[in-house]
Each structure stands twice: as C-alpha cells, then as structure tokens.
Amino acid sequence: MNHKRGIRVSLVAAAGLALAVVVPLRTAQAAAQPAPDVVAGQAADQVADQGTGLAKGVDQDFVRTSLTPGGGGLYYAAYARTYRGLEVVGGDAVVVTDAKGNLHDTVTADTTPIALDTTPKLSKDAAVAIASKQLSTVDSVASARLVVLAGKQALAYEVVVSGLTAENAPSNLHVFVDAASGAVLDSWDDVHAGTGNGFYYGTVTINTTRNSATSFSMIDPTRPGVRCTNTSGTTFTGPDDNWGNGSGTNLETACVDALYGTQRMWDMMRTWLGRTGISTAGQGFPARVGLTQANAFWNGSSATFGRSSDGQRQVVPIDVVAHEFGHGVFQFTPGGSGGGGNEKGGLNESTGDIFGAVTEDFANNPNDPPDFQVGEEVNLVGNGPIRFMYNPSLRNHPNCFSSAIPNTEVHAAAGPQNHWFYLLAKGSNANPPSPTCNGSTVTGIGVQAAAQIFYNGLLRKVSAWTHARARVATLQAARALFPNSCTQFNATRAAWNAVSVPAQAGEPTC
C-alpha cells in the first residue's frame, strides 16, 4: 500500500509517427552542404593547426576538446595544448569562429615557450604516495599521468586522489607532483561546496520514468544523465508516480525538489542560453540526497545535498541545486575548473551563485521568489542567507575587487563578480539597492540579457581565469550578442567599473 502523498508528479511520455518522405533534388543538394557547426569547427581547427594568434611553439600541438554554439552566431572551440604528446596544463586556448568560417577571436591561457625533458626521474608509484599524503583519508586513486605545467615550466604527475580532508570534508583532489624533485607544485579540488534547502515548492510536475505498470523511478527520460539517488548512488523508485510527502526530513521529498530545480536549470539554459545539458556533450548528472552534514557539494560528476544544521530541512532549493550544477557548467566550459588559485575559485563560486539566481528568476516560483540571496530558504545555521549578491558585505565578503582577492577564501572571493552581475541585471537603484564601489549609478539590462552576456563570456574562459579576463570576455560577448546596440555593452563595462575591476589594455569598444 502506498502512503506517499503531498507532491504530485506526472510521467512525461512521447509518441512518434513514421512518415515516408520524398526529398526534392534541390533539397538534397542543400542538405549536402556542410552544417554550420562543421564549418565553424573546421575553421577553428585550421587556426589551431597554424597556431595563428596562439604562439604555437616547437613540439606543440592543439587538440580540440569541445565546440559550443553561443549567442550572436558564434562558435567557441576549446583546445588543449600538448607538448611532445603530453597535455600542457594551463596552456589551453579558445578559438571563436562563425558559421561562415570567419575567425573572430583567439584566447590563450599561457603562451610561454616550452622546452624541457619529458623523461621523469620520479616513478609513478612515488608520485602517488606523495599525492596521497595531501588528504587525511584516501579512499581511492583515480588516475596518475604525466603532464607539463605551463606556469611552472615543469614535468609533473597529475594524481587524482579521492577521500576526506583534515576537516572531514569530501575531496576529489588533483595533485601535481614534480616528476624530478617530488615537490607538490599545485593542487585543486573537484569538490565545490555550497548550501541550501527546499521542500517549499508544493505540488509540482517533474519528469520521471515508468519502468512497468507498478514500478517508477526518479530518472528523467528527457534529460540524459539526470536522476536522483541516495548518497550511495541508488536511484529512488516507487510503485506509482506520486513522490514525497512534503516533509523537510523526507529524502524522497528532497529528490522532488532536487529534480525540480535541475529541470528548471536545464530549461533555463536551453531557452535563454542555447545550451543543452551541463556538459558539452548534452549530458546531465545525478543529484544525491541524504548527506548528514549541513552542506552540499559538486564533485566533478554529481551533486550531493545535505541538510540544515537543525536537521529540519534538506539542502535542495532551486538556487542551491543550480549553484552546484553551475560548478558543472564551469567545469565543462573551456578552461575547466582546475588551477588558477583562489581568484579562479572565487569566480567558480560566483558562477554557481549566478546560475542559482538566474534559474530562480526563470522558475519564478511564488513559493521562492527571485531575490539574489543565496540559500535564503535554508537558514543553514540559523542566521539567514549564505550570501547576498546585491551587497556581499552583508556577509563580510568584499563588494569590490582588489589585489587581496587572489588570497581570499573562495566563497568570499565570489563577492565582486556576484556584485557585478546584480548591477548588470538589476542596476544600482533596484530593490534592494546595490552600493557601487566608485559611487556611480548603473542601470540594469534585465536578468536574461545579463545571463546571456555572462555565459557567452564563460565560453571564452581559459585555465588562467581572472576578473580582468572575465571583464574583457563579457565585453566581447556583449558586443557579439547585441551588435546593433551599445546599451548592453556600456552597462557591462559600467558594472565592472562599479566593482573596481579596471579597464584592460586592448579591451573592445562599442
């Protein structure tokens, strides 16, 4: 007997009809023409092969890793740099072309010439042992490979170790061990933490799968990879398509909210940004609920959600769910999520906050109105929202960019870009008002337009991502997206000025 109630879910099904079609000769000839993405990709590959604008050195090549359509008819081809067959970490590039094969831009991370011996003096086993010491508990070693570190000009082993940090937090740590000396040259973590809650959405419709007449599962059949599981990875199933009971402590209810938020984020990206899925391959990833911590995190292949510190609410409102999967978008756009220190880490956290705010605005659910507060429904530790995008200083986070940001904890370092996005979307005199760092007045252009500019700037991201690079990239995006208007471009520039990210040499003009 089923005792589940409170949240109604409907199964989404599709039917198809086979038709015989006669293709006219002219149509067939037109169909033989290369598709726009093929033309754009071939043009980008030619640029990469020739090294045009990429400072291609001896024994170096570029390997295309993705091709993503953006706004304004542009395509963004991401490339990994190799040296004598080894990936150059931090040497990636992006080539921007259009459907006619025209080159619009090249963006590179590190162009320093490389000349080094690729024969390691340290064994792989020794590198794994050194990397394993970086975590207090090691559950597994996923991989160990030789790479070249661009910024360090060094041959290194990249070792990926999974386990727990000294603070007992989950970690999927990439450790770069010098292949000559054994020194740890750099490290970065796939796990990006966030916080939240969400059983306030009431009766909603989500996409699930019918396995049989008496078996259903919380797998989205229309969005590849999207499902909801417990922390062990077991997908929630049931005898009917009614899920949850509306309780903040019920994990099936938490899955309803997690899937609802994930599906609204997917729809927002498809409708507003022209992106399908979290990864460049159009894939989504599982949401896992039931973590017994006041926390939520993305680990590179799934998002895990815990509960509030008082144990009364699960950490799955829209903005928190979209925040965690926003880390996934950051990971699966050019330049990835690794390296770059705390400044890039802060931009990654801000990306999560921005995707959370934009998804909340897109959903416009009356039970959780858009507000540019992060995790306001959670009351995680009893003191309200986690962050305030319109005024980060309300959580003692910096409103303005400064030379201190690269040494600021990553969640706090999200402040300047969060502040920039609010000013761009809503303006300084919105409700609530947002103080500017230079005393200026900024007029917002709306959340959708701001999201398009931010996302298309993200498609120019390289591994060495900074606020200065983000400024230039979003100005380029604004010009490409709105070629017949300076309003959006000027607002983008004014918002960066208002958070103290200065003008850069060679940045575009309108």
Side-chain angles (χ1 to χ4, degrees), residues 350-366:
S350 171
T351 295
D353 288 350
I354 290 170
F355 271 96
V358 174
T359 302
E360 192 174 84
D361 187 89
F362 177 86
N364 198 25
N365 190 298

Side-chain angles (χ1 to χ4, degrees), residues 424-495:
L424 178 61
K426 306 293 284 186
S428 55
N429 292 331
N431 183 23
S434 181
T436 58
C437 305
N438 60 357
S440 65
T441 298
V442 179
T443 301
I445 61 173
V447 175
Q448 181 176 344
Q452 292 168 345
I453 289 171
F454 172 73
Y455 169 69
N456 280 268
L458 208 60
L459 293 178
R460 297 174 183 264
K461 173 168 59 70
V462 289
S463 54
W465 200 234
T466 63
H467 288 79
R469 285 179 176 266
R471 173 184 169 119
V472 174
T474 51
L475 288 173
Q476 291 168 323
R479 190 170 66 171
L481 289 167
F482 304 98
N484 300 317
S485 171
C486 285
T487 299
Q488 295 82 2
F489 180 94
N490 290 339
T492 303
R493 182 175 56 192

Side-chain angles (χ1 to χ4, degrees), residues 203-500:
T203 301
V204 295
T205 298
I206 58 175
N207 289 8
T208 58
T209 294
R210 180 179 185 136
N211 306 313
S212 69
T214 58
S215 176
F216 298 80
S217 59
M218 301 192 86
I219 299 173
D220 187 333
T222 64
R223 299 171 178 86
V226 173
R227 65 178 62 207
C228 192
T229 77
N230 61 20
T231 54
S232 299
T234 301
T235 302
F236 282 82
T237 60
D240 58 33
D241 213 10
N242 296 319
W243 304 95
N245 61 12
S247 167
T249 58
N250 178 264
L251 296 186
E252 193 176 278
T253 299
C255 266
V256 171
D257 288 335
L259 281 182
Y260 176 71
T262 303
Q263 291 167 1
R264 296 295 75 71
M265 179 184 178
W266 189 290
D267 293 347
M268 179 277 293
M269 292 194 297
R270 180 174 53 201
T271 304
W272 284 3
L273 307 181
R275 184 183 182 91
T276 301
I278 303 300
S279 78
T280 52
Q283 286 289 120
F285 297 91
R288 298 185 173 192
V289 301
L291 181 70
T292 57
Q293 298 176 6
N295 194 14
F297 62 86
W298 164 259
N299 71 356
S301 59
S302 65
T304 300
F305 302 93
R307 53 166 175 72
S308 58
S309 58
D310 61 7
Q312 297 304 302
R313 297 168 302 283
Q314 302 301 308
V315 188
V316 283
I318 286 175
D319 59 350
V320 175
V321 170
H323 172 102
E324 299 308 335
F325 286 117
H327 286 310
V329 175
F330 194 89
Q331 176 180 329
F332 289 104
T333 42
S337 58
N342 279 20
E343 182 170 4
K344 185 177 180 182
L347 291 166
N348 192 345
E349 288 299 331
S350 171
T351 295
D353 288 350
I354 290 170
F355 271 96
V358 174
T359 302
E360 192 174 84
D361 187 89
F362 177 86
N364 198 25
N365 190 298
N367 293 318
D368 186 8
D371 51 26
F372 287 86
Q373 299 175 5
V374 180
E376 74 283 354
E377 301 288 343
V378 179
N379 195 19
L380 185 70
V381 293
N383 64 351
I386 309 305
R387 287 181 291 282
F388 297 85
M389 296 177 70
Y390 53 84
N391 190 354
S393 66
L394 294 176
R395 276 286 173 259
N396 296 317
H397 297 163
N399 280 10
C400 313
F401 180 79
S402 73
S403 59
I405 292 296
N407 298 312
T408 301
E409 188 274 330
V410 293
H411 294 87
Q417 187 173 250
N418 278 355
H419 190 194
W420 165 82
F421 186 81
Y422 182 82
L423 290 169
L424 178 61
K426 306 293 284 186
S428 55
N429 292 331
N431 183 23
S434 181
T436 58
C437 305
N438 60 357
S440 65
T441 298
V442 179
T443 301
I445 61 173
V447 175
Q448 181 176 344
Q452 292 168 345
I453 289 171
F454 172 73
Y455 169 69
N456 280 268
L458 208 60
L459 293 178
R460 297 174 183 264
K461 173 168 59 70
V462 289
S463 54
W465 200 234
T466 63
H467 288 79
R469 285 179 176 266
R471 173 184 169 119
V472 174
T474 51
L475 288 173
Q476 291 168 323
R479 190 170 66 171
L481 289 167
F482 304 98
N484 300 317
S485 171
C486 285
T487 299
Q488 295 82 2
F489 180 94
N490 290 339
T492 303
R493 182 175 56 192
W496 282 121
N497 291 341
V499 298
S500 301

